Amino acid sequence: MNTVERVVHYAHLPDEGALQTPDDPPASWPSAGVLEFSDVKMRYREGLPEVLRGVSFRTLPAEKVGIVGRT
């Protein structure tokens, strides 16, 4: 019954927002397909230690990338 309760609960949640907004990039974006991260540092919230420390990488168009981590 937990599954049924969850489905009913999720079915009645309010919408998260519009699927499209005026601030969305054009449909042709990105034109080059290049993704570049340079010395990225992130933490889950202020005051916690960094979970990403100086991550840098670049992907090229049509390149497949796998990301493996703890979670």
Side-chain angles (χ1 to χ4, degrees):
M1 288 307 290
N2 275 350
T3 303
V4 174
E5 289 175 351
R6 286 184 185 183
V7 169
V8 170
H9 173 75
Y10 290 135
H12 294 96
L13 288 175
D15 291 337
E16 292 183 356
L19 293 177
Q20 296 179 342
T21 68
D23 297 327
D24 289 350
S28 61
W29 183 85
S31 60
V34 174
L35 177 66
E36 187 169 345
F37 273 58
S38 180
D39 197 33
V40 174
K41 299 173 185 170
M42 291 186 179
R43 62 187 80 223
Y44 285 105
R45 69 172 177 260
E46 192 69 35
L48 291 179
E50 292 176 344
V51 292
L52 295 180
R53 299 177 198 99
V55 174
S56 298
F57 65 91
R58 183 172 193 240
T59 64
L60 301 175
E63 188 174 36
K64 294 182 180 182
V65 178
I67 299 175
V68 180
R70 233 175 90 187
T71 57

